[in-house]
Amino acid sequence: MHMLSGYGEKQKTNFLVLLILCMLVAACSGNKSKPAKPAATGPYNPNDGRYAHDKDFGPDEDVDLSHVPDAVPRYETRTRAGNKNPYTVLGKTYHLISDESSYKERGYASWYGKKFNGYNTSNGERYDMYAMTGAHKTLPIPSYVRVTNLDNGKSVVVRINDRGPFHQGRIVDLSYAAAQRIGIHKTGTGRVEVEIALPGDAAPIPRRADNTVPKQIESALPAGTFLQVGAFGNKEAAQQFAASIGTKLTYPVAISSATQPKQVHRVRVGPFKDAKSLQDARDQLAKIKVFQAHVVYQ
C-alpha cells in the first residue's frame, strides 16, 4: 500500500487496525434497519370479524315504525335450516319444542338492531331490524308468536326466524321495529308474555287495565278498530292502492293522513265492531294477496 510507505511496521499495523475498525463502523451504520411499524389493529371484535360493530344500537335518528304491519301467521314448510335439534351454545344444550300449539311463557324480552342488520339469521334469511321478526331458543323456525308487554298491554305478532337470546331470564329477542311497537326500544328489555300465534287466529280481544274482559260481549272491539294495510309518503299512491283493493272487499277502505313528524298516508280497512268481522276481513285480504295487515285503533 503506497499510502503506508513512510511508516514503520508498528505504525502500519496500528493504522490498519484503525482503518478496519472505521470500515466496520461505517458498514454497521449503513445497514441499520428501520424500526418496524406497529401492526395496524382494529377495534376488538368478540365475533371474530363477523359483524362490523362490537356493540348493538338502534337507528341513527328516531324513526316512527308504527306503520310496519304485524307478521301474519301462515303455514310454512319447515326445513332443517335453523332447526338443528338439539344444538349447543355457550356450553348449554337446547332441545326444540316438538308441539308448540299451546306454548305460552312469561319472562323478559330484549331487542337486537343495527349491529346484526343485514346479516344472516339462523335459517339463512337476512335480518331486517325494521321488519316484525324475532329470535327464540326452542320454538321451531319459522313460528309466529304474539308478544305482549305486561307493563303497558301493548302487543305485536312477530315471525320467529332466528335463535336467541342466550341470556339468563330472557325468552325472546325482538327486532327493533317490534320492540318499538311494544315500548321497550328505549329501555332495552321489558316484561312480556309470549304466546304462539297460529294461522287463522283472531286478533286478541282488548282487555281492561286489570286484564279482565268486558262482560257485555266478549268478542266486541273498541270503537275505531281498523286493519292497517299500507302506509305511503305519496297521497296519490295511497289513493291508488285503496281503490285497487276497495272493489274486492265488503268492508270500507279509508285513508288516514298525518303530517307530523312526517307526511304519511295510511290505508285502513274498517272499522270493525267485533273479532268475527275483523277476521273475515283478514280472510278477504288474504284472498287478494294482502297478508300484511295489523290492528290499529283510531
Side-chain angles (χ1 to χ4, degrees):
M1 297 179 66
H2 299 288
M3 61 185 297
L4 298 179
S5 58
Y7 287 81
E9 290 300 322
K10 186 175 181 179
Q11 291 174 312
K12 290 180 181 179
T13 301
N14 292 340
F15 183 83
L16 288 172
V17 170
L18 181 60
L19 181 62
I20 291 172
L21 288 174
C22 291
M23 293 174 64
L24 289 173
V25 170
C28 289
S29 62
N31 292 331
K32 275 186 179 180
S33 58
K34 296 181 180 180
K37 292 183 179 179
T41 57
Y44 171 67
N45 190 333
N47 292 292
D48 195 25
R50 181 183 179 190
Y51 303 113
H53 304 280
D54 290 337
K55 296 181 179 180
D56 201 4
F57 54 101
D60 297 331
E61 299 179 356
D62 288 340
V63 180
D64 179 11
L65 300 174
S66 60
H67 65 282
V68 179
D70 285 15
V72 178
R74 59 191 178 92
Y75 294 105
E76 295 187 64
T77 301
R78 288 172 177 163
T79 67
R80 296 181 63 182
N83 288 311
K84 183 179 180 181
N85 189 27
Y87 70 96
T88 302
V89 173
L90 299 175
K92 185 174 181 179
T93 299
Y94 298 89
H95 296 265
L96 302 190
I97 297 173
S98 57
D99 180 8
E100 75 280 11
S101 60
S102 59
Y103 168 78
K104 182 187 287 189
E105 186 178 7
R106 289 191 174 191
Y108 279 85
S110 51
W111 61 267
Y112 59 131
K114 206 163 185 179
K115 171 181 176 179
F116 304 92
N117 198 47
Y119 291 91
N120 287 352
T121 62
S122 294
N123 68 342
E125 297 176 357
R126 292 289 178 132
Y127 173 60
D128 181 356
M129 63 188 283
Y130 302 111
M132 292 301 177
T133 62
H136 193 279
K137 292 186 283 289
T138 55
L139 281 172
I141 290 178
S143 293
Y144 293 83
V145 294
R146 180 173 292 108
V147 183
T148 303
N149 187 330
L150 295 174
D151 295 321
N152 60 21
K154 295 181 179 180
S155 67
V156 66
V157 177
V158 301
R159 179 174 176 270
I160 300 298
N161 67 347
D162 207 357
R163 289 286 172 235
F166 301 106
H167 296 273
Q168 185 67 30
R170 300 185 194 178
I171 59 174
V172 67
D173 227 355
L174 299 175
S175 66
Y176 181 82
Q180 186 186 104
R181 175 70 61 77
I182 66 171
I184 68 167
H185 60 300
K186 292 185 177 180
T187 58
T189 60
R191 298 187 316 119
V192 298
E193 179 177 87
V194 181
E195 182 177 12
I196 199 70
L198 300 174
D201 279 357
I205 299 171
R207 296 174 179 267
R208 297 191 184 99
D210 61 0
N211 204 36
T212 60
V213 178
K215 290 183 178 179
Q216 63 273 17
I217 303 176
E218 292 197 348
S219 63
L221 297 174
T225 300
F226 291 81
L227 280 175
Q228 185 165 304
V229 293
F232 301 84
N234 180 278
K235 188 173 184 178
E236 184 178 350
Q239 292 172 333
Q240 290 177 353
F241 178 68
S244 69
I245 66 173
T247 58
K248 303 170 185 175
L249 302 175
T250 61
Y251 297 94
V253 179
I255 297 175
S256 175
S257 299
T259 57
Q260 296 294 332
K262 61 181 180 180
Q263 182 170 279
V264 61
H265 307 279
R266 299 179 174 92
V267 179
R268 294 172 173 174
V269 180
F272 303 98
K273 294 182 178 180
D274 53 54
K276 184 178 183 300
S277 60
L278 185 145
Q279 185 57 45
D280 181 50
R282 282 189 183 277
D283 293 340
Q284 291 185 24
L285 288 166
K287 288 179 180 179
I288 60 174
K289 309 300 182 183
V290 178
F291 299 106
Q292 301 298 316
H294 69 277
V295 177
V296 294
Y297 304 99
Q298 182 173 301

